[in-house]
């Protein structure tokens, strides 16, 4: 069977941006920015995207396109008979673990979408004089009730798994590419609408100041480590996802331009999210101490919506945006394992999709239940959900990225990387030298420092 490829340039970009833009941008980025001091974090984040993110993205694209096969197969094709395939295996495992818990949060977005649509999220609210405190505790309690209950979150997780199966069975062009080509423009339209609304709010300037005016004294080791982790997560790096998508790129795809487009759009979404969330929150007088990291979008934003006219409309559109972002990312994570089963074990598309996604009905359920009935079951002192998040994002992703950069910088066949990059800009452009230098000499030690830092910070 001929290897599947993306059918058009727009589709290829939409699918790859769809993978990159996800809860990482919409949910994790504002939370990380907020807890790491605002603009200072943003600044370091942008630097990380440029000096590590883009070169590593190019490394993954090249590996996939050059070898024409899945995340594990790539290493077998380029370095047969060695143990390098284990680097790919680490990626496949990491992506599956992340998918397991990401699906649960994706399920929350569907619940919040439906509750906004029906209005039940806002039922019975009576904000009084001290509206914020009351509302904050109301939405907090609502979220906690929901997340910790047994059945409700499971049903939503199942809905998300079902949608994933429906899309993925369609294959690369008719499933992933088609859905992304529809959903990505929708996502950008929603984002821009929200941006206009948020920036026109009376107190927007204070929020913008927090987001864009750096306080350099806030920059320390933790800020740098978090910014780098966030950059990898957000750009879908370190787990073979972009190797897999790269294997669907036709030979004519210009990798440098594609990597720049994808990473700039990903950055833009994160940036727009900051422009949406911080002005909205500051306009409603919530000061910094009251902003809450990971509950920002599920607690603080409903609170903001409840103060705005057309509450349900804005809330429904916002959670639709979140759902779309989550869906295209879960699809890309599942695709890593599906492509592995298709390329290595010659499974049909349908069989591979089911083998990958059906077990999630059990595994993601366990993750979801770890908020409620299984909350006391701890691994290394963490709930199952937190444990998976922690080992995959803090250790497996950086390790995957480290191995990828060492491989492409030092072990891939001579001239391989340059050959994949060349059609992008024509021969002998100094930029190739810069990219190669970053991948070979800068990425490995920097990532290593970050890994060690993670180990020391939370052993
Ligand atoms: N980049 C996605 C996000 O920001 C998450 C993701 C990571 C998707 C790795 C695929 C692979 O949410």
């Amino acid at each position: 069977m001929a290897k599947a490829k993306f059918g058009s340039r727009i589709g290829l970009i939409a699918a790859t941006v769809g993978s990159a833009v996800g809860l990482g941008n919409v949910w994790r980025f504002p939370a990380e920015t907020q807890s790491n001091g605002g603009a200072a974090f943003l600044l370091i984040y942008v630097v990380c995207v440029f000096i590590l993110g883009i070169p590593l993205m190019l490394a993954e694209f090249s590996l996939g396109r050059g070898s024409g096969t899945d995340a594990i197969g790539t290493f077998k094709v380029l370095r047969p008979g060695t143990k390098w395939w284990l680097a790919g295996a680490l990626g496949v495992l990491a992506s599956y673990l992340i998918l397991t818990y990401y699906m649960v949060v994706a399920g929350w977005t569907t619940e919040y979408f439906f509750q906004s649509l029906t209005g039940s999220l806002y039922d019975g609210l009576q904000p009084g004089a001290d509206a914020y405190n009351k509302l904050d505790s109301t939405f907090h309690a609502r979220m906690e009730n929901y997340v910790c209950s047994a059945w409700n979150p499971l049903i939503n997780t199942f809905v998300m798994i079902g949608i994933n199966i429906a899309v993925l069975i369609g294959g690369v062009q008719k499933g992933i590419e088609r859905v992304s080509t529809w959903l990505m423009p929708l996502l950008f339209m929603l984002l821009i609408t929200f941006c206009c609304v948020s920036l026109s709010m009376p107190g927007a300037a204070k929020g913008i100041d927090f987001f864009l005016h750096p306080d350099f004294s806030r920059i320390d080791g933790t800020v740098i480590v978090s910014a780098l982790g966030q950059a990898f997560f957000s750009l879908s790096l370190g787990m073979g996802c972009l190797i897999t998508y790269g294997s669907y790129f036709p030979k004519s795809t210009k990798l440098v331009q594609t990597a720049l487009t994808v990473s700039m759009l990903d950055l833009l979404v994160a940036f727009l999210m900051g422009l949406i969330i911080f002005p909205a929150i500051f306009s409603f007088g919530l000061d910094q101490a009251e902003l809450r990291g990971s509950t920002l979008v599920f607690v603080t934003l409903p609170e903001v919506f409840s103060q705005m006219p057309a509450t349900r409309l804005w809330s429904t559109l916002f959670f639709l945006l979140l759902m779309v972002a989550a869906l295209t990312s879960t699809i890309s994570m599942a695709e890593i394992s599906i492509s592995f089963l298709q390329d290595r074990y010659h499974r049909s598309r349908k069989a591979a999709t089911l083998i990958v996604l059906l077990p999630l009905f059990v595994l993601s359920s366990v993750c979801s239940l770890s908020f409620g009935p299984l909350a006391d079951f701890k691994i290394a002192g963490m709930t199952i959900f937190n444990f998976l998040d922690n080992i995959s994002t803090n250790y497996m992703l950086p390790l995957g990225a480290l191995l990828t950069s060492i491989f492409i910088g030092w072990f891939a066949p001579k001239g391989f990387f340059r050959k994949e990059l060349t059609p992008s800009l024509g021969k002998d452009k100094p930029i190739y030298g810069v990219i190669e230098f970053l991948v070979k000499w800068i990425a490995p030690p920097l990532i290593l420092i970050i890994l060690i830092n993670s180990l020391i910070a939370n052993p």
Side-chain angles (χ1 to χ4, degrees), residues 18-25 95 98 102 230 232-237 239 241 266 325 329-330 332-333 336 397:
S19 165
V21 171
L23 296 172
N25 308 57
S95 66
I98 295 187
Y102 199 100
Q230 173 63 20
F232 284 159
F233 189 85
S234 187
L235 295 171
S236 305
L237 293 171
M239 57 167 93
C241 183
D266 187 69
S329 293
T330 49
S332 73
M333 276 182 245
I336 304 171
L397 286 195

Side-chain angles (χ1 to χ4, degrees), residues 49 61 63 68 78 92 124 142 145 164 176 187 200 211 220 233-234 272 278 309 316 346 376 383 442:
V49 168
F61 282 166
L63 288 174
L78 297 177
V92 174
R142 285 185 182 187
N145 264 341
N164 266 271
I176 303 176
L187 182 131
S200 62
F211 184 50
D220 59 13
F233 189 85
S234 187
L272 290 178
F278 296 111
T316 308
H346 309 292
D376 291 334
T383 61
I442 304 294

Side-chain angles (χ1 to χ4, degrees), residues 43-183:
L43 188 75
I44 304 287
Y45 178 72
V46 173
V47 173
C48 288
V49 168
F50 276 93
I51 62 168
L52 292 180
I54 296 176
L56 266 162
M57 184 178 281
L58 282 167
E60 290 207 14
F61 282 166
S62 303
L63 288 174
R65 212 249 318 256
S67 68
T69 188
D70 65 284
I72 295 182
T74 293
F75 294 95
K76 294 200 167 192
V77 168
L78 297 177
R79 274 268 155 182
T82 64
K83 291 266 177 281
W84 271 106
W85 63 270
L86 287 169
L90 178 77
V92 174
L93 181 66
S95 66
Y96 201 75
L97 294 182
I98 295 187
L99 180 61
T100 306
Y101 74 81
Y102 199 100
M103 202 61 102
V104 176
V105 185
W108 299 349
T109 67
T110 50
E111 170 75 11
Y112 272 70
F113 169 72
F114 284 115
Q115 282 205 20
S116 306
L117 197 66
T118 60
S120 58
L121 184 59
Y122 299 95
D123 272 354
L125 283 182
Q126 280 154 355
D130 53 347
Y132 294 112
N133 295 332
K134 272 199 202 141
L135 283 174
D136 183 57
S137 58
T138 310
F139 285 114
H140 204 87
R142 285 185 182 187
M143 182 180 177
E144 210 161 80
N145 264 341
Y146 164 69
V147 166
C148 298
S149 65
W151 279 106
N152 263 341
L154 289 193
I155 295 168
N156 291 300
T157 307
F158 294 168
V159 169
M160 261 291 169
I161 300 175
I163 302 177
N164 266 271
I165 293 179
V167 174
L168 284 162
I169 274 189
V172 173
Q173 278 193 21
K174 296 215 178 83
I176 303 176
E177 185 172 342
R178 189 193 290 168
V179 167
S180 312
T181 313
W182 279 99
L183 293 183

